[in-house]
Amino acid sequence: MKRAVTLLALAGLLCLGAAATAEIGALDNVPAATLLIPRFEVDLNDPAGITTLFSVNNASAETVLAHVTLWTEWWIPIIDFDIYLTGYDVQTVNVRDIFLGNLPRTAPDNNTPGPTPNVLSNRGLFSGPSNTFGGTCSTTFGVQPNYAPLSASFRTLLAQAFTGAPVTALGGLCTSLPGGSNGLARGYITIDSVSACSQEFPDSVGYFVDGGFGVANNNNVLWGDYFLVDTANNFAQGFAAVHIEADGVSLGVEDGSCDVTDRNPTTFYCTLRNPVTAPGEDNREGLPSIYGTRYTAGGAFTGGTDLLVWRDKNGTGAGAARACNTTPTPISQTQIVVFDEEENPLTFITGGPSGEPEPGAEIPFPWCTNRTEVGGPNLSIDDDFGWLYLNLNDGNVNQEYFRQAHVTTVMDADGRFSVGYEAVSFNNLTLGADNRRGPRNPDATVGSYPNANAPTLFSENF
């Protein structure tokens, strides 16, 4: 773990960039109320195999509390816990440690600045006073919360849930795509700024209340990053976490910011919220749905290009466990266009509504978190070098089914080098055509598909 933390710290120095200006609905690395780790992978069969590291940081002098939730690739929350952060604190986590039952050991100190005995979260000279926060947190200074370590039975549940194996504790149901995982746990992580410790998932009633008055608050104080480390193949990629800002004024209930009648999610948790709670209560900006990114599948990049794609859920409420011989409805897309480096559109991959895609259509990103090979069986290309136009909306241009997404590009070269970067977003679902709600026009597509009246690539929606 110590070596992993050192690697995380050193790699973090390479990721420092210029300060960004916050813009609601745009991808920008600024302190936020929610962080998204769009994909994690952990090889549970090999202690030295693939793993994922992430950090959560406090951008303020005040002590804050971060609520971490791990979700399966079928949008099902399985485990959550709290991380206590003193002023300007940083906590690094190796996701493998969670599967081993070792959660971060953090807790408030006894309000004495500097190192003191039995302090799990040291408070530096620039940090504000300690706060026990209440809820399910320990109320004793210097004592960790009572949810660690995890029991052997729950560790078994975690391994089964995230690898697609039948979950014994759920009567043999599955919570991830069965088969072919070879012990690879995969999913995504959300980290929310909260006002009290809890054992609630983000879709629970009362977790979000409009204005930040639930368990979660609207304090834009968190920032972080994550790393995918593949020691066996000498690969590692580092990325900034997806920073999702809160705005209780322009993204509140009165502004209709979460309209589930036409499933136009303009807040991040809109389609994952509990259906019985008021719409728009999470106040978080939504993510874009249309992206562009380069790819290479030849030359020095013998490992080719993979896309790590997170996608919003189709419908409301969190996902649910199901029989292992069935799957949720795969999410299709509106359009994918593969351009070569001479601006020729070589491949058109159309979609159609999720659940009723066009016959023979490829569906390269069917679940909430995906790793898809460019040029592989689910994403065809006709040239080794070029760029991809990815319209990841639902595919039904007549019903305006907009779908949040996030795309990360990973390239591997010569078995020794790798690079990863965030794709470029082409639209803003949060602040769309009328500067308050998401876009009301049909999805932007390239060329004449799906109808002659569709806007071209660079339209007013961008």
Side-chain angles (χ1 to χ4, degrees), residues 90-330:
V90 55
Q91 180 72 37
T92 57
V93 179
N94 186 332
V95 180
R96 182 184 302 281
D97 288 340
I98 299 174
F99 285 89
L100 294 175
N102 302 316
L103 302 183
R105 300 179 69 246
T106 61
D109 67 8
N110 59 3
N111 279 308
T112 301
T116 58
N118 198 28
V119 171
L120 296 178
S121 296
N122 181 64
R123 187 161 55 90
L125 296 177
F126 297 138
S127 177
S130 296
N131 184 346
T132 59
F133 288 101
T136 58
C137 281
S138 168
T139 57
T140 303
F141 288 116
V143 177
Q144 68 189 65
N146 57 13
Y147 49 64
L150 302 180
S151 66
S153 60
F154 194 80
R155 295 199 302 272
T156 298
L157 184 153
L158 285 179
Q160 294 172 339
F162 286 97
T163 59
V167 182
T168 305
L170 298 178
L173 299 178
C174 281
T175 59
S176 294
L177 186 68
S181 64
N182 297 320
L184 183 69
R186 66 273 181 198
Y188 71 98
I189 301 171
T190 56
I191 307 169
D192 301 313
S193 177
V194 296
S195 299
C197 292
S198 77
Q199 296 178 352
E200 302 294 329
F201 292 129
D203 67 315
S204 300
V205 176
Y207 185 87
F208 289 113
V209 174
D210 191 34
F213 298 110
V215 173
N217 58 46
N218 289 344
N219 298 338
N220 292 311
V221 293
L222 302 179
W223 62 283
D225 47 38
Y226 69 103
F227 297 85
L228 300 173
V229 181
D230 184 354
T231 305
N233 292 309
N234 300 316
F235 291 144
Q237 298 93 19
F239 316 92
V242 184
H243 292 70
I244 301 170
E245 300 160 76
D247 185 339
V249 177
S250 61
L251 296 176
V253 171
E254 293 182 359
D255 294 302
S257 58
C258 180
D259 188 344
V260 296
T261 58
D262 62 0
R263 306 223 301 269
N264 179 28
T266 54
T267 64
F268 177 71
Y269 283 108
C270 177
T271 57
L272 293 176
R273 67 176 179 81
N274 191 298
V276 303
T277 59
E281 73 279 2
D282 66 281
N283 301 147
R284 267 67 172 163
E285 63 182 340
L287 296 179
S289 60
I290 304 177
Y291 290 82
T293 188
R294 286 200 10 97
Y295 75 88
T296 179
F301 285 88
T302 54
T305 301
D306 285 353
L307 300 183
L308 309 181
V309 178
W310 178 91
R311 301 191 70 184
D312 195 11
K313 186 177 182 294
N314 182 6
T316 57
R322 58 197 302 129
C324 295
N325 61 349
T326 66
T327 65
T329 301

Side-chain angles (χ1 to χ4, degrees), residues 37-72:
I37 310 298
R39 183 173 180 86
F40 72 80
E41 297 177 346
V42 179
D43 185 348
L44 300 183
N45 291 336
D46 183 359
I50 297 171
T51 191
T52 304
L53 316 176
F54 72 88
S55 75
V56 56
N57 308 260
N58 179 7
S60 74
E62 302 299 320
T63 56
V64 302
L65 195 65
H67 191 75
V68 181
T69 304
L70 273 64
W71 308 71
T72 73

